[in-house]
C-alpha cells in the first residue's frame, strides 16, 4: 500500500510499504478514505518529538472497515468509522476512569513517570516509539487495535469532511473548553487560531461562553477564526500588548478562562537552536506565561498545545498569587466523541469550514511543506488516499 512515511527530521515521503494485517483478536483493518495533517505531526517532522526509525504518520483518519479480528463483534466489514487518535484498551484503570488518553496497556513504552524520553502516557496512532510505535493513518490502510473500543460508526448522511475532525481536533478543542468549566457568560481567551484554537472557540460558544477571543501571530488565521467561529480577534505583537487588550476588555481583571492552543511551538526558534529536545531545559513557556498573565484571579488556564520538554522559568509565583487552576493533557477523545457526533448530526456545529486544502495522499509530502510553512493561507489539509 501507499503511505506517508517519516524517515528523519524534515524527511517524509509517500512510499510503498507492507499492508497492515490483523495481529490481535481485537484489531481491525480500516481502508482510509480521509485523513488530515495535524500541527502535532510537525513536532515529529521537526524532531521535537524524536523518532529514530521509519514510521507511517497520521492520527486523524476515518474510513471503511475492511477486516476485523475474532474479538471485535461491534464492527463488520463495510462499516464506515471515524477513529479517536488515542490508542486505548478500554479496560484498564485509566480507560475506566475517563482517561483513555492515559491508557496503561496501549503503550509498551508508557509508565507512571511521564519523563522526557521515557514512560509517556497512552499510545497514539502514528506518533513515534515514545507513544506506542503504531503506524498511522496517512495511508491507504491502517491497523486499529482495540477496535471494539475506539472507532465510532458514522451515521448515514454525513460526509467524511463533516466528521473527520471528531478524531482529534474537535474533541481536543472541546476538552480545552470543558476543563475551563464554562457555565455561561464567561470571557474565554484562546491563544492560537489554528485548527485546535478554532475548535476550542466553537466549543466555548456551544458551552455558553459570553465572549470568545482568538489570539494569533497570523492575520489569515484570525480571519478564519472570525469567519468560522465568530471570534473576536487580537493580532499578537507581543505579550504585554495582548495582556493589556484582554484586561481592557474585562474591566481590568483578565479573562475568566485562557486556553493555550499553541504549546511549545511558540518557542520554535529557541528549540531550533537547541537542535534536539533532549538537552533543552532553558527558556520560558511563552504562551503559557501569557495565559497566566491574561487570566483573571481565580480563573482557569487550560492547555491543549503540546509541551514535550521542561522549562526552568515557569512562573509559579504568578500561578500561586492569582489562584489560577491549571489543567492540560492529551484530550480523552473517547469520552466526548459520541456527544460531539450528535452535535454534528443535529447541525449544531460545523467542522469542515476550516479546511483550506484537499490533496491526494500521493502529494502528502508537498502538503506537509505547505502546512509547515503556512503557505497559501493554509489552515487545515485533508488528504484523500
Ligand atoms: Zn492531531
Ligand atoms: Zn486502557
Amino acid at each position: 500500500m501507499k503511505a506517508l512515511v517519516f524517515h528523519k527530521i524534515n524527511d517524509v515521503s509517500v512510499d510503498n510499504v507492507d499492508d497492515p494485517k490483523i495481529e490481535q483478536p481485537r484489531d481491525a483493518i480500516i481502508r482510509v478514505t480521509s485523513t488530515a495533517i495535524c500541527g502535532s505531526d510537525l513536532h515529529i517532522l521537526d524532531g521535537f518529538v524524536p523518532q529514530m526509525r521509519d514510521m507511517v504518520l497520521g492520527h486523524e483518519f476515518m474510513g471503511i472497515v475492511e477486516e476485523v479480528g475474532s474479538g471485535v463483534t461491534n464492527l463488520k466489514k463495510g462499516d464506515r468509522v471515524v477513529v479517536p487518535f488515542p490508542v486505548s484498551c478500554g479496560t484498564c484503570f485509566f480507560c475506566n476512569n475517563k482517561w483513555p488518553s492515559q491508557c496503561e496497556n496501549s503503550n509498551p513504552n508508557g509508565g507512571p513517570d511521564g519523563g522526557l524520553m521515557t514512560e509517556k502516557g497512552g499510545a497514539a496512532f502514528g506518533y513515534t516509539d515514545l507513544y506506542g510505535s503504531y503506524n498511522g493513518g496517512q495511508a491507504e490502510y491502517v491497523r486499529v487495535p482495540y477496535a471494539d473500543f475506539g472507532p465510532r460508526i458514522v451515521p448515514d448522511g454525513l460526509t467524511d469532511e463533516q466528521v473527520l475532525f471528531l478524531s482529534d481536533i474537535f474533541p481536543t478543542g472541546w476538552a480545552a473548553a470543558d476543563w475551563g468549566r464554562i457555565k455561561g457568560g464567561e470571557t474565554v481567551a484562546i491563544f492560537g487560531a489554528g485548527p485546535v484554537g478554532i475548535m476550542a472557540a466553537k466549543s466555548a460558544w456551544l458551552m455558553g461562553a459570553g465572549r470568545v477571543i482568538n489570539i494569533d501571530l497570523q492575520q489569515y488565521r484570525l480571519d478564519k477564526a472570525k469567519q468560522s467561529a465568530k471570534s473576536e480577534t487580537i493580532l499578537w505583537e507581543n505579550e504585554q500588548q495582548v495582556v493589556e487588550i484582554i484586561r481592557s476588555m474585562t474591566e481590568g481583571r483578565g479573562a475568566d478562562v485562557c486556553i493555550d492552543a499553541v504549546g511549545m511551538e511558540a518557542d520554535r526558534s529557541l528549540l531550533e537552536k537547541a537542535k534536539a529536545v533532549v538537552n533543552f531545559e532553558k527558556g520560558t513557556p511563552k504562551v503559557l506565561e501569557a495565559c497566566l498573565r491574561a487570566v483573571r484571579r481565580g480563573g482557569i488556564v487550560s492547555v491543549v498545545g503540546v509541551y514535550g520538554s521542561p522549562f526552568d522559568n515557569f512562573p509559579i509565583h504568578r500561578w500561586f498569587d492569582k489562584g489560577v487552576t491549571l489543567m492540560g493533557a492529551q484530550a480523552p477523545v473517547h469520552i466526548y466523541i459520541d456527544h460531539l457526533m450528535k452535535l454534528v448530526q443535529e447541525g449544531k456545529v460545523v467542522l469542515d469550514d476550516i479546511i483550506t486544502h484537499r490533496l491526494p495522499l500521493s502529494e502528502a509530502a508537498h502538503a506537509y511543506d505547505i502546512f509547515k510553512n503556512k503557505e497559501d493561507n493554509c489552515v487545515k489539509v485533508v488528504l484523500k488516499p
Side-chain angles (χ1 to χ4, degrees):
M1 68 162 183
K2 289 206 179 336
L4 186 280
V5 181
F6 171 86
H7 302 290
K8 57 182 193 296
I9 292 176
N10 288 324
D11 181 4
V12 291
S13 58
V14 175
D15 298 349
N16 283 310
V17 300
D18 290 342
D19 287 357
K21 291 187 182 66
I22 299 283
E23 294 174 18
Q24 300 289 334
R26 293 176 67 195
D27 287 355
I29 303 297
I30 309 289
R31 177 169 61 80
V32 178
T33 53
S34 294
T35 176
I37 303 177
C38 181
S40 55
D41 291 326
L42 299 181
H43 297 323
I44 305 173
L45 188 72
D46 290 341
F48 300 154
V49 181
Q51 173 61 17
M52 306 315 281
R53 62 179 184 91
D54 284 7
M55 179 178 276
V56 178
L57 301 186
H59 57 270
E60 302 181 359
F61 60 89
M62 60 180 298
I64 309 287
V65 175
E66 192 70 17
E67 191 183 350
V68 293
S70 59
V72 181
T73 54
N74 60 321
L75 296 177
K76 59 181 189 310
K77 185 176 161 75
D79 283 343
R80 184 161 162 257
V81 293
V82 58
V83 181
F85 80 84
V87 181
S88 311
C89 77
T91 59
C92 72
F93 173 85
F94 292 109
C95 286
N96 280 319
N97 283 281
K98 297 189 172 173
W99 273 114
S101 51
Q102 310 288 357
C103 176
E104 53 190 358
N105 287 326
S106 63
N107 185 358
N109 303 314
D113 204 37
L116 185 55
M117 300 289 288
T118 55
E119 298 198 21
K120 295 295 191 185
F125 287 98
Y127 216 75
T128 78
D129 288 334
L130 291 176
Y131 287 96
S133 310
Y134 296 95
N135 276 325
Q138 288 164 4
E140 291 180 304
Y141 296 92
V142 58
R143 178 174 79 93
V144 175
Y146 312 114
D148 52 339
F149 184 64
R152 297 302 199 270
I153 292 178
V154 178
D156 289 340
L158 294 173
T159 66
D160 274 24
E161 291 181 358
Q162 283 178 291
V163 297
L164 174 62
F165 301 144
L166 293 169
S167 58
D168 177 1
I169 58 172
F170 186 36
T172 294
W174 185 271
D178 187 33
W179 296 334
R181 299 176 201 163
I182 297 167
K183 293 186 183 71
E186 292 87 349
T187 295
V188 181
I190 300 163
F191 289 73
V196 170
I198 295 174
M199 291 296 158
K202 290 176 190 268
S203 301
W205 285 126
L206 286 162
M207 291 175 190
R211 286 181 91 166
V212 178
I213 307 155
N214 280 96
I215 301 109
D216 202 280
L217 283 166
Q218 306 278 343
Q219 186 59 48
Y220 82 88
R221 304 216 304 176
L222 293 172
D223 293 343
K224 181 59 94 177
K226 190 183 281 179
Q227 170 213 332
S228 161
K230 300 185 175 61
S231 311
E232 297 177 71
T233 60
I234 302 171
L235 183 64
W236 173 288
E237 288 163 17
N238 58 64
E239 179 183 298
Q240 187 62 26
Q241 162 248 2
V242 170
V243 169
E244 280 173 11
I245 293 173
I246 291 171
R247 287 182 189 159
S248 73
M249 296 167 87
T250 52
E251 298 173 325
R253 283 191 294 271
D256 301 296
V257 180
C258 282
I259 291 172
D260 176 353
V262 179
M264 63 179 174
E265 188 170 358
D267 299 276
R268 186 171 292 270
S269 60
L270 209 55
L271 283 162
E272 274 165 2
K273 270 180 222 147
K275 285 291 180 221
V277 78
V278 185
N279 296 314
F280 177 69
E281 295 184 0
K282 301 288 178 201
T284 53
K286 253 188 235 169
V287 173
L288 193 47
E289 188 173 73
C291 286
L292 283 164
R293 291 191 66 205
V295 74
R296 69 162 165 81
R297 291 179 178 278
I300 297 175
V301 173
S302 173
V303 183
V304 284
V306 173
Y307 287 93
S309 57
F311 288 91
D312 62 357
N313 287 318
F314 180 78
I316 195 165
H317 61 296
R318 185 166 281 128
W319 161 75
F320 183 81
D321 185 68
K322 293 177 72 168
V324 172
T325 299
L326 178 61
M327 176 60 199
Q330 294 282 6
V333 174
H334 303 66
I335 72 167
Y336 298 125
I337 188 170
D338 297 319
H339 175 59
L340 302 186
M341 179 86 83
K342 227 163 127 206
L343 293 181
V344 172
Q345 198 178 8
E346 290 167 356
K348 298 212 166 94
V349 65
V350 171
L351 307 180
D352 54 351
D353 58 358
I354 66 159
I355 300 170
T356 52
H357 292 71
R358 297 169 175 86
L359 292 160
L361 176 68
S362 58
E363 290 176 37
H366 173 56
Y368 266 80
D369 273 348
I370 298 174
F371 184 53
K372 179 184 170 173
N373 299 317
K374 300 189 165 70
E375 285 168 17
D376 194 21
N377 289 352
C378 183
V379 173
K380 191 72 176 175
V381 183
V382 172
L383 301 169
K384 298 282 182 183

